[in-house]
Every structure is written in structure tokens, then in C-alpha cells.
Amino acid sequence: MMCAARSLPTFEAAKRPRGRPPKTPQERNEGNRRQDVVKAAAKLFRRHGFNGTSTRDIACAVGMHSGSLFCHFKSKDALLHEVIQEGMRSAMARQMIVLLAEHDAVTTLRQLIRSHFETILGPNSDFMHVVLYESRYLNAMQHKVIAKLQGEYEATWTTVLRELSLTGCLQVEVPVARHLIFGVLNGSAQWFKPEMGISIDDLTDAVVALCIHVPPAKPDLMSNAPLGVRRCIWMLAPMKF
């Protein structure tokens, strides 16, 4: 018995484009709407807290019906998790830019500090405020995901601080230094106001002056620092290492 001949693919099938098909306008719009929801949630969670914000509030902020919100997120908890992940991804993206520059350890620490200040105090700081103050509402599985991201973020700082410690620039143990630095940086979210006349560069220079030991042969940072930097140092002086 003769076997039936296998049919060859048609020309159209052979020319089938590889990869994912391009998104339709509807799909692109849905993606934008999802991001709008995340941004609105970050702003409202920061302003009113997680418990003080309803899904109706978030939907209203982006011009959606309340039920439409659940087309993007199955619950308010899931939306909180996404906001916090977005905050961490943003911080890590900024951090990567610093690392790619490949500066010496002192310069790298300064840029890491400035990057962290930008993330907490800059135009898109809603996300990191939620990371700092609303993470307690995450469930155990969500906490595990965020803890992993935070561990990766802080590992970079540990490497730089170890290098500074080996050169004698750091005056305390690395783990203590890391905790103190993050305490100072994250605490600025509670008291910093742009109208104080202090810039993020001033804040950065002040924290560096507190963290890094300057050999006596070099000029004194405090006496030569700009007024804004000296004001920051006076504010943070009780936390000096």
C-alpha cells in the first residue's frame, strides 16, 4: 500500500513571521491603562495609606468603573504588590546606571547615595514611599519577593562599603554602616521639604561627609562645604558614625 504523500507547507505558511505578533491598539491601550492604575495607586497609597484607599478611589482617579480595575489586578493586595515591585525596580534601574559608570569606591558611594535620594525625594517618589511605609500589608509570599529584591539592591552597597573599609575610609563595621546609611537616607522622607532651600546634592554631600573619613592632610569638609551642606550635616550630626 502506498502512503499518502505529506503535503508541503504553503508559501504563506513558510513565510510566517517569527516572534510575537505586534500588539493591537486595544492591547497597547490596556497596557497603558494598567500603568495608569499603578501610578494612581502609588499616589493614593502614599497620600492616604493602603487601608485608607479603596479600589473605587483608584478607579475614579484613572476614570474607570470600579469593576474594571479587576481586569488588571485581582485584588487591592495584588495592586499594592505591583506598586512596591515597581518602586524597587525603579531604584535598581537607577543603581545599575551608577554601577555601569565604574568609578572608584568613594565616587560610587556618593552616586549611590544621590540615586537613593532621587528615588525617595524626586518626582516619582510615590513608589518608594509605599515601599517604605506600606510594605507591612503584604502577605508572606509577597514579602518574600520584595525581600529578595531588597537583598539584591543592598548587596551592591555592601560591596562598595567593604572596599572603603579596606582602605580605611570607613570608620565602623560594614553591616553597621549600611544600616546607618539607609536609616539616614530613608529617614529624609519624613522631614525633607524642597522649600527648605536644601538640594539633593547638598544632602548627598552631607551624608558622604558623615560616612567617609577624611585624612588630616586634606581640607576640612565642614569648613569648606557650602552652606546647604553644612546645614544638612548639622541636622544629621547626631547620627554621625
Side-chain angles (χ1 to χ4, degrees), residues 57-214:
D57 294 331
I58 299 167
C60 182
V62 292
M64 297 171 60
H65 295 295
S66 297
S68 301
L69 198 69
F70 298 105
C71 296
H72 300 281
F73 297 95
K74 65 180 182 180
S75 65
K76 192 173 76 165
D77 291 356
L79 179 50
L80 173 65
H81 190 210
E82 179 60 26
V83 168
I84 292 176
Q85 286 185 93
E86 180 63 26
M88 288 305 305
R89 286 193 293 261
S90 174
M92 294 174 78
R94 285 180 178 274
Q95 185 183 78
M96 183 56 65
I97 293 172
V98 172
L99 298 179
L100 290 174
E102 298 184 348
H103 292 297
D104 60 87
V106 173
T107 303
T108 298
L109 180 64
R110 186 189 189 284
Q111 293 192 357
L112 285 174
I113 290 170
R114 194 187 192 289
S115 172
H116 197 81
F117 272 135
E118 281 282 359
T119 305
I120 293 176
L121 306 175
N124 297 315
S125 57
D126 291 336
F127 289 93
M128 281 305 292
H129 274 255
V130 178
V131 172
L132 293 175
Y133 304 114
E134 304 301 318
S135 295
R136 63 187 182 277
Y137 296 109
L138 296 174
N139 62 39
M141 185 63 69
Q142 292 168 339
H143 265 298
K144 187 175 181 180
V145 173
I146 300 304
K148 183 176 183 297
L149 293 175
Q150 290 174 331
E152 293 172 1
Y153 183 76
E154 293 184 13
T156 294
W157 294 68
T158 300
T159 300
V160 176
L161 291 172
R162 280 176 181 162
E163 187 174 343
L164 290 169
S165 180
L166 290 173
T167 60
C169 291
L170 202 65
Q171 299 301 291
V172 296
E173 295 296 324
V174 170
V176 176
R178 190 185 71 246
H179 285 302
L180 287 172
I181 289 172
F182 278 115
V184 170
L185 299 184
N186 294 339
S188 68
Q190 293 288 333
W191 59 264
F192 177 80
K193 298 289 186 298
E195 56 268 24
M196 296 172 68
I198 301 172
S199 70
I200 287 180
D201 282 322
D202 290 337
L203 285 173
T204 300
D205 291 338
V207 175
V208 171
L210 291 172
C211 298
I212 304 300
H213 169 69
V214 181

Side-chain angles (χ1 to χ4, degrees), residues 2-81:
M2 295 182 62
C3 296
R6 180 179 298 168
S7 60
L8 296 174
T10 63
F11 177 78
E12 289 75 16
K15 299 295 287 185
R16 183 182 302 156
R18 296 181 179 180
R20 295 181 179 179
K23 290 184 178 181
T24 65
Q26 176 65 25
E27 288 172 329
R28 285 195 295 271
N29 183 59
E30 286 301 308
N32 292 336
R33 295 292 281 165
R34 178 184 173 90
Q35 191 59 31
D36 289 342
V37 169
V38 174
K39 288 181 180 178
K43 181 175 293 187
L44 291 171
F45 289 158
R46 176 182 182 176
R47 184 177 301 171
H48 305 296
F50 177 71
N51 282 340
T53 303
S54 67
T55 54
R56 182 185 297 275
D57 294 331
I58 299 167
C60 182
V62 292
M64 297 171 60
H65 295 295
S66 297
S68 301
L69 198 69
F70 298 105
C71 296
H72 300 281
F73 297 95
K74 65 180 182 180
S75 65
K76 192 173 76 165
D77 291 356
L79 179 50
L80 173 65
H81 190 210

